[in-house]
Amino acid sequence: MSKIIEVKNLKKYYPIKINWRQQAVVKAVDGISFSVSAGQTLGLVGESGCGKSTTGMTVLRLVEPTDGDIIFEGKNIKDLNRVQMRLYRKKMQIIFQDPYASLNPRWKIGNTIAEALEIHKLATGQIGKLRVEELLDRVGIDPSYKNRYPHEFSGGQRQRIGIARALAVRPQFIVCDEPVSALDVSVQAQIINLLAELQDEMNLSYLFIAHDLGVVRQICQRVAVMYLGKIVEYAGSEDLFNNPLHPYTKALLSAVPVPDPLAKRDEIVLTGDIPSPLNPPRGCSFNPRCPYAKAYCREKAPQLSTVGDRLVACHLVNKIRGDQDAAITEMAQAN
Ligand code: SF4
C-alpha cells in the first residue's frame, strides 16, 4: 500500500527562559518517525502533554518543525516556503477537538465553508453555493441551515460542520485532533461512523489523535503510543490491543473499561503524573512510573527496536513478552 505521508525523525523543541541567565529547551516532540498509507488510519495515543497534538500541528506545518523530514506524496515539504506550501495545504487538513473554537462565531456556517473553497480557487458564486450545500448534506446537516451561526448548533453538529469545511478542499490526508473527545458518547459514535464512511468513499488517510483507546481500536489500522515526546510502541492495531508489550501501553490498556463486569483483568495503576518535558528523567523516561524498572533503565534510554511485527522502546521487552532466551541477555544487561 502506498504511503501518503512519511515522517522521519521529527522534532519540535521550544526554547524557554527559566530566568534571565538560564535557557532551557522543552522537547515536545523528540525524534519520532511514522507513516500513514493511503486510505488508512494511524492512531496516535498517550496521556495529555505527551506531544500528540504538537505532532499533528507540526506534520501539517501549522507549527514549524525544529528538525526532521515530512515527506508527502514523495516530496519533502519541510523546507517549502509559504507559496510552495499552498498546493499542499489543501491536500492536508485538520479537524479540531473543539469545533466551536475553530468556527468563526460571527460567520454563517455556509460562509465558513465557502471561504475554504474560495481561498483555494475551487468554486465561487453559484457553483460554490451548490458545493456548500452538497458538503453540508454529505455530513448530515440540512443544507437549508447554511445561513445559521455556529451557536445555533449542538456540539456534534458543529463537529460535522468542521468536517465539511475540511472536506471542502478535497484533501487526501486529515489530522483528526481528538475530534470526539468533547462530545457525548452517543454522538461520538455517529462522528466516528461518518469519518469511516468518508474514508471509504474518498480514500482519505487519517492521523487520528486520541486518548480514548476504545475509539482508536475501532478506527485505526496502526497505532503509535507516545510518551514524553517519543514513540514507545508502534504496532498494528490488533497486535497492540490483544498483546501490548511496552509497560506504558499495558498500563493505558488496562485502564480501558470493559463491558463485562465479571471479566478478569490485571489493572496496572500508573502512579504520578507524566514528568515535565523540561526536566525529563534520566535513562528511560518512563522509569519513575514503570512497575518493571531496573537499575539499568535509569541509566540508558531504550531505542525503538523491532520485536516481531512492531517497534518497542523498552530494555526488558523480551522478558515482558515471555521470550526466555532473549530475556537472559536482556536481564544480564539490566542487573
Ligand atoms: Fe520500564 Fe525499563 Fe522498559 Fe523503561 S526500559 S519501560 S523503565 S522496563
Side-chain angles (χ1 to χ4, degrees):
M1 208 166 293
S2 65
K3 289 174 185 167
I4 190 99
I5 189 162
E6 193 170 6
V7 170
K8 294 182 184 170
N9 202 24
L10 187 72
K11 295 178 182 167
K12 180 61 197 176
Y13 294 173
Y14 292 97
I16 57 161
K17 273 209 165 78
I18 298 179
N19 55 42
W20 64 277
R21 255 200 250 168
Q22 258 183 308
Q23 262 217 329
V25 171
V26 172
K27 296 180 177 178
V29 179
D30 193 13
I32 67 171
S33 303
F34 59 82
S35 62
V36 187
S37 299
Q40 300 269 299
T41 303
L42 172 70
L44 197 55
V45 303
E47 290 164 287
S48 296
C50 71
K52 311 183 292 285
S53 292
T54 308
T55 300
M57 303 278 270
T58 311
V59 161
L60 299 181
R61 287 197 52 205
L62 297 174
V63 166
E64 287 301 332
T66 305
D67 199 4
D69 295 315
I70 305 165
I71 297 155
F72 187 82
E73 292 184 314
K75 170 96 179 162
N76 193 345
I77 61 164
K78 189 211 149 210
D79 295 316
L80 298 185
N81 62 31
R82 266 186 62 205
V83 179
Q84 292 166 324
M85 254 321 273
R86 243 184 132 157
L87 171 68
Y88 292 92
R89 289 254 172 261
K90 67 177 176 189
K91 296 184 178 192
M92 309 163 84
Q93 288 290 304
I94 187 164
I95 299 167
F96 292 100
Q97 174 179 359
D98 181 356
Y100 195 51
S102 65
L103 297 170
N104 188 333
R106 282 176 294 211
W107 276 28
K108 294 171 182 167
I109 58 150
N111 292 349
T112 295
I113 299 170
E115 185 203 29
L117 294 169
E118 282 163 23
I119 286 175
H120 292 283
K121 300 185 173 56
L122 291 171
T124 51
Q126 196 55 32
I127 296 175
K129 280 182 191 160
L130 289 174
R131 177 81 181 123
V132 168
E133 289 175 7
E134 189 190 316
L135 282 161
L136 286 173
D137 187 42
R138 180 60 199 90
V139 298
I141 300 285
D142 187 331
S144 67
Y145 293 174
K146 66 183 175 187
N147 290 325
R148 296 188 179 186
Y149 292 90
H151 73 267
E152 298 178 74
F153 295 91
S154 68
Q157 287 174 317
R158 283 197 287 262
Q159 194 54 290
R160 287 173 188 272
I161 296 161
I163 294 171
R165 185 181 53 182
L167 291 179
V169 294
R170 300 187 195 281
Q172 289 160 280
F173 171 68
I174 302 182
V175 172
C176 305
D177 188 1
E178 305 259 11
V180 294
S181 307
L183 305 176
D184 290 346
V185 176
S186 58
V187 183
Q188 284 186 6
Q190 294 168 15
I191 297 294
I192 293 294
N193 290 341
L194 175 64
L195 288 170
E197 282 166 29
L198 294 169
Q199 180 170 51
D200 282 349
E201 269 173 48
M202 301 177 197
N203 200 33
L204 293 168
S205 306
Y206 296 141
L207 176 64
F208 194 91
I209 298 169
H211 61 263
D212 182 339
L213 294 170
V215 169
V216 169
R217 184 172 201 169
Q218 208 182 329
I219 195 167
C220 301
Q221 285 78 35
R222 291 188 68 73
V223 181
V225 182
M226 271 188 93
Y227 189 77
L228 221 58
K230 294 188 181 210
I231 290 177
V232 295
E233 185 159 1
Y234 184 34
S237 188
E238 280 312 300
D239 285 346
L240 187 115
F241 284 100
N242 291 335
N243 183 25
L245 290 184
H246 193 282
Y248 180 57
T249 318
K250 281 179 179 289
L252 285 182
L253 289 183
S254 77
V256 176
V258 287
D260 180 0
L262 301 175
K264 202 167 165 282
R265 59 191 315 199
D266 301 321
E267 186 169 351
I268 303 168
V269 179
L270 280 180
T271 51
D273 291 328
I274 191 163
S276 163
L278 198 54
N279 186 21
R282 216 170 133 212
C284 172
S285 55
F286 188 55
N287 85 69
R289 305 169 82 192
C290 179
Y292 302 88
K294 301 277 177 201
Y296 185 66
C297 304
R298 290 182 261 279
E299 299 300 322
K300 194 174 172 199
Q303 300 301 313
L304 261 187
S305 7
T306 307
V307 182
D309 290 338
R310 66 179 99 183
L311 296 172
V312 185
C314 172
H315 293 309
L316 301 178
V317 65
N318 288 311
K319 178 170 183 279
I320 291 166
R321 77 186 182 122
D323 181 341
Q324 293 306 328
D325 291 343
I328 290 169
T329 324
E330 208 171 57
M331 290 303 288
Q333 283 180 313
N335 287 311

